[in-house]
Amino acid sequence: MLNVSTRTAALYDRVRRVIPPIEWPTFADDIEAILDLKRQRNAVILAHNYQTPEIFHCVADIVGDSLALARKAMTAEADVIVLAGVHFMAETAKLLNPQKTVLIPDLRAGCSLADSITAEDIRLLRQRYPGVSVVTYVNTSADVKAESDICCTSGNAKAVVESLGVPRVIMLPDEYLAQNIAAQTDVQIIAWKGRCEVHERFTPADIRQLREDHPGVTVLAHPECPPEVVAEADFSGSTAAMSDYVGRQKPPRVVLMTECSMSDNVAVEHPEVEFIRPCNLCPHMKRITLANIREALEQNRHVVTIAPEIAGRARLAVERMLAV
Ligand code: 13P
Ligand code: SF4
């Protein structure tokens, strides 16, 4: 009988550039069990680009940025969806798949942006700015989406804002994303004061130091970074847009000003590119592990539910975004 490391050797080959061989036996058992559980339960795993490589490359069926996960959740042919990401992503998957069981392996996988605003805050904003449309980043709770006209992600924010054909919108909750989009459009944007705790920590001084230490490095920044950081970067885009940029341009040296696992996941696909790796960890994304994905499938937990009176309105805001 072959041992588990031998049985999973082909999977290890995919990630050998970013996972040392000594670590593999600690993952192999859970990976094999998860692959088996997915078959038994007719389940799919959706994983965000910030998930660790053993999840992203070894057990996930669908990977991508928030927009891709929302789009692909809709066509997932499965009874069960496990969301390897944060809670708002699991809620979005549930909104688009009301008949399916959606599981989040750790209920504490939150988001500083989602925590920065409540449904009541939006009702007050509407009183203050009567008639102004509310564009809401998907990094929010279903309650907040339900109060919104339309959702957006970092991948489609400009297109969504401009699709409304109005001179002014409220865009929330990410202050920096709103400012970065305001710099690219004539639509006037009223912002909220939310921040991503991962991206707000990058500074323009970090970029200058990187360019000094690594001559010729190409700097890619997520639009949740402060505008001064985006201004000094060579390119800014969603996690999928950054990944596509590396694939298309093949810069000899690159740094991704974003969450740490992103570089690992992209590096697996592009051995010819040198990745410089200062990064910030998202503690919420890191709540998800192989062990709790396995438990989620074994014990059917934690089931995501959304009250029907909220779900109907929140789904509309997400569907309007997907139609843009
Ligand atoms: P995207 O993958 O949509 O760029 O989102 C980044 C993010 O921070 C999600 O939590
Ligand atoms: Fe939220 Fe930022 Fe973590 Fe994404 S990276 S889940 S926006 S805290």
Side-chain angles (χ1 to χ4, degrees):
M1 177 74 176
L2 299 173
N3 72 25
V4 67
S5 291
T6 312
R7 290 196 303 271
T8 53
L11 279 175
Y12 181 62
D13 257 0
R14 285 191 205 165
V15 288
R16 62 179 337 118
R17 294 189 66 243
V18 291
I19 298 180
I22 196 162
E23 284 182 21
W24 186 249
T26 64
F27 297 139
D29 200 36
D30 283 333
I31 289 175
E32 207 174 40
I34 290 167
L35 298 179
D36 198 36
L37 284 158
K38 281 200 299 180
R39 281 188 289 271
Q40 284 173 33
R41 298 211 53 197
N42 189 25
V44 289
I45 298 179
L46 271 56
H48 185 262
N49 289 329
Y50 295 160
Q51 292 297 294
T52 47
E54 69 280 5
I55 295 174
F56 189 90
H57 287 287
C58 300
V59 298
D61 301 282
I62 294 170
V63 295
D65 65 355
S66 311
L67 182 59
L69 293 184
R71 281 198 193 288
K72 291 176 187 167
M74 261 193 327
T75 51
E77 298 228 350
D79 298 323
V80 179
I81 294 175
V82 180
L83 206 303
V86 290
H87 193 260
F88 75 80
M89 296 177 176
E91 277 192 337
T92 306
K94 181 65 185 175
L95 287 173
L96 297 170
N97 291 276
Q99 310 306 332
K100 290 179 187 148
T101 300
V102 176
L103 304 175
I104 177 97
D106 188 326
L107 280 171
R108 296 168 301 174
C111 171
S112 64
L113 283 168
D115 286 346
S116 73
I117 190 155
T118 64
E120 178 59 14
D121 290 329
I122 303 201
R123 290 192 285 270
L124 291 172
L125 277 169
R126 285 199 188 273
Q127 277 173 24
R128 184 152 168 217
Y129 300 101
V132 179
S133 301
V134 176
V135 178
T136 293
Y137 199 27
V138 285
N139 298 38
T140 45
S141 66
D143 289 10
V144 164
K145 290 184 176 76
E147 298 293 330
S148 310
D149 294 295
I150 188 165
C151 287
C152 74
T153 73
S154 61
N156 63 12
K158 179 172 181 273
V160 167
V161 163
E162 293 183 344
S163 75
L164 299 174
V166 293
R168 193 158 79 133
V169 300
I170 298 167
M171 187 177 180
L172 46 84
D174 188 344
E175 181 180 16
Y176 291 151
L177 179 71
Q179 290 171 354
N180 286 323
I181 298 302
Q184 302 168 29
T185 180
D186 292 334
V187 179
Q188 191 200 335
I189 293 182
I190 301 161
W192 185 246
K193 55 185 182 322
R195 305 264 175 90
C196 162
E197 69 187 82
V198 174
H199 293 94
E200 71 172 348
R201 299 193 339 245
F202 293 111
T203 67
D206 294 339
I207 299 190
R208 279 176 231 135
Q209 191 63 51
L210 280 161
R211 292 199 194 277
E212 206 177 304
D213 295 346
H214 306 280
V217 70
T218 300
V219 180
L220 313 186
H222 194 276
E224 289 170 10
C225 291
E228 317 81 74
V229 169
V230 168
E232 294 222 10
D234 298 299
F235 173 81
S236 174
S238 76
T239 56
M242 287 192 276
S243 176
D244 290 349
Y245 182 101
V246 174
R248 228 180 23 253
Q249 306 284 339
K250 304 243 181 325
R253 278 179 151 184
V254 71
V255 60
L256 310 182
M257 310 297 281
T258 191
E259 210 275 340
C260 299
S261 292
M262 177 81 195
S263 291
D264 287 342
N265 290 331
V266 184
V268 164
E269 315 278 357
H270 302 289
E272 69 286 16
V273 176
E274 181 194 356
F275 285 79
I276 313 295
R277 292 166 194 254
C279 60
N280 292 325
L281 271 176
C282 174
H284 312 290
M285 287 281 177
K286 266 46 209 183
R287 293 267 183 205
I288 309 301
T289 62
L290 285 175
N292 61 25
I293 292 175
R294 179 178 178 169
E295 281 167 17
L297 284 163
E298 280 169 349
Q299 297 172 30
N300 201 45
R301 70 174 200 201
H302 303 272
V303 176
V304 176
T305 54
I306 304 169
E309 64 279 12
I310 300 289
R313 288 181 294 135
R315 184 177 306 118
L316 218 57
V318 176
E319 283 173 351
R320 284 197 192 114
M321 166 186 85
L322 294 175
V324 169

